[in-house]
């Protein structure tokens, strides 16, 4: 397992516990994220991955334990608090509006405006320019920022959501099962976009139960089982079978 100086961490959770009534969802979990790394958060469905991420992004308060950001203790009361610290999350449902264009979705809730006399209107031209430029910077090419999101493929939608998070995220990008419903080719593109985000010095948390995919991009692995921390490992410490065995708790033949 890996020892890391606390002063070098972007994000840290210490002894996090989360209870939902009598159900213990997380049991004293430690988690850390270094600048410019891709951390895989691994575990089968229902093992605590989503609960931990919702605590790290202000959706749930921890029952006990402490969160730190850039070495300072923080209390997150809402996702807005996490976003203010530079944390952006791409959830499985992507939070995209199918009937809106790519540019409108890219700036959803943060639209630039301009004035025409006494009236303030959306600056669609500026949205289109920034959207196309930001996506191109991480290797994503689009035909037209006005194209409706509902007409895009699953991989294209994922790329827009990732590009939006990279543009606004600044420090930490959290990807929640980003390849779960994609083809092999589209999954490969998402992995490439993830590496591009890392190249822009973002720290990435990649949540998945697909060991084969994440082992291609992750620098470290944090593994949860039954709401407990199995361990955090450098990629050089484990092969693919080792990771699978730690996730399931069973020896593979």
């Amino acid at each position: 397992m890996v020892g890391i100086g606390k002063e070098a961490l972007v994000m840290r959770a210490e002894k996090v516990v989360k209870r939902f009534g009598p159900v213990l969802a997380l049991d004293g979990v430690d988690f850390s994220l270094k600048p410019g790394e891709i951390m895989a958060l691994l575990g089968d469905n229902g093992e605590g991955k989503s609960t931990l991420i919702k605590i790290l992004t202000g959706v749930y308060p921890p029952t006990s334990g402490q969160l730190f950001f850039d070495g300072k203790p923080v209390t997150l009361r809402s996702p807005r608090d996490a976003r203010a610290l530079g944390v952006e999350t791409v959830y499985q449902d992507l939070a995209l509006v199918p009937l809106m264009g790519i540019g409108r979705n890219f700036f959803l809730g943060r639209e630039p405006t301009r004035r025409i006399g006494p009236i303030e209107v959306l600056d669609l031209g500026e949205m289109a320019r920034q959207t196309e430029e930001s996506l191109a910077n991480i290797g994503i090419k689009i035909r037209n920022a006005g194209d409706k999101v509902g007409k895009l493929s699953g991989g294209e939608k994922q790329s827009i959501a990732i590009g939006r998070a990279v543009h606004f995220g600044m420090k930490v990008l959290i990807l929640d099962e980003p390849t779960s419903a994609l083809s092999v080719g589209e999954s490969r593109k998402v992995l490439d976009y993830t590496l591009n985000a890392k190249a822009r010095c973002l720290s990435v948390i990649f949540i998945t139960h697909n060991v084969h995919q994440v082992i291609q991009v992750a620098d470290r692995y944090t593994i949860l089982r039954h709401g407990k921390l199995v361990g955090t490992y450098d990629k050089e410490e484990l092969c693919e079978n080792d990771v699978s065995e730690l996730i399931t708790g069973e020896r593979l033949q």
Side-chain angles (χ1 to χ4, degrees), residues 29-41:
V29 171
D30 293 327
F31 179 83
S32 63
L33 183 67
K34 296 190 291 185
E37 77 165 345
I38 299 175
M39 166 66 85
L41 181 57

Side-chain angles (χ1 to χ4, degrees), residues 57-127:
T57 56
V59 177
Y60 296 151
T63 303
S64 63
Q66 181 64 59
L67 303 181
F68 299 83
F69 195 86
D70 286 338
K72 299 176 182 178
V74 295
T75 299
L76 302 179
R77 296 179 176 84
S78 72
R80 182 174 295 179
D81 289 346
R83 190 171 292 133
L85 292 172
V87 181
E88 282 288 332
T89 307
V90 180
Y91 292 105
Q92 291 184 59
D93 62 8
L94 304 180
L96 298 175
V97 181
L99 295 179
M100 284 186 179
I102 295 170
R104 287 292 306 278
N105 271 281
F106 197 83
F107 282 92
L108 199 61
R110 294 175 276 206
E111 294 89 345
T113 60
R114 60 190 177 92
R115 298 196 73 85
I116 301 178
I119 302 172
E120 192 170 42
V121 299
L122 295 179
D123 193 338
L124 298 177
E126 181 63 14
M127 275 191 265

Side-chain angles (χ1 to χ4, degrees), residues 27-234:
D27 187 4
V29 171
D30 293 327
F31 179 83
S32 63
L33 183 67
K34 296 190 291 185
E37 77 165 345
I38 299 175
M39 166 66 85
L41 181 57
L42 297 162
D44 276 336
N45 291 331
E47 302 288 22
K49 304 189 304 298
S50 292
T51 301
L52 177 59
I53 289 304
K54 287 178 179 177
I55 288 173
L56 295 176
T57 56
V59 177
Y60 296 151
T63 303
S64 63
Q66 181 64 59
L67 303 181
F68 299 83
F69 195 86
D70 286 338
K72 299 176 182 178
V74 295
T75 299
L76 302 179
R77 296 179 176 84
S78 72
R80 182 174 295 179
D81 289 346
R83 190 171 292 133
L85 292 172
V87 181
E88 282 288 332
T89 307
V90 180
Y91 292 105
Q92 291 184 59
D93 62 8
L94 304 180
L96 298 175
V97 181
L99 295 179
M100 284 186 179
I102 295 170
R104 287 292 306 278
N105 271 281
F106 197 83
F107 282 92
L108 199 61
R110 294 175 276 206
E111 294 89 345
T113 60
R114 60 190 177 92
R115 298 196 73 85
I116 301 178
I119 302 172
E120 192 170 42
V121 299
L122 295 179
D123 193 338
L124 298 177
E126 181 63 14
M127 275 191 265
R129 186 192 67 78
Q130 287 194 40
T131 298
E132 292 172 4
E133 182 178 292
S134 295
L135 292 176
N137 285 340
I138 60 170
I140 301 170
K141 294 182 179 180
I142 59 174
R143 293 178 292 276
N144 189 315
D147 288 347
K148 297 292 189 292
V149 163
K151 295 181 178 180
L152 303 179
S153 69
E156 288 172 329
K157 291 176 183 176
Q158 190 68 251
S159 72
I160 300 304
I162 291 174
R164 181 180 64 187
V166 170
H167 181 78
F168 291 106
M170 297 175 59
K171 286 189 176 182
V172 178
L173 172 62
I174 300 175
L175 303 176
D176 184 11
E177 298 282 359
T179 62
S180 61
L182 302 185
S183 67
V184 173
E186 289 188 322
S187 294
R188 180 65 255 175
K189 289 180 181 179
V190 169
L191 296 180
D192 289 341
Y193 300 148
T194 304
L195 290 170
N196 283 337
K198 175 186 174 181
R200 290 168 62 86
C201 298
L202 270 76
S203 301
V204 181
I205 303 175
F206 195 113
I207 308 154
T208 187
H209 58 271
N210 189 319
V211 176
H212 177 70
Q213 288 181 350
V214 80
I215 205 167
Q216 300 174 55
V217 297
D219 299 299
R220 293 192 297 148
Y221 314 111
T222 290
I223 301 171
L224 300 181
R225 190 167 68 242
H226 306 316
K228 295 183 179 182
L229 177 67
V230 175
T232 297
Y233 307 87
D234 265 338

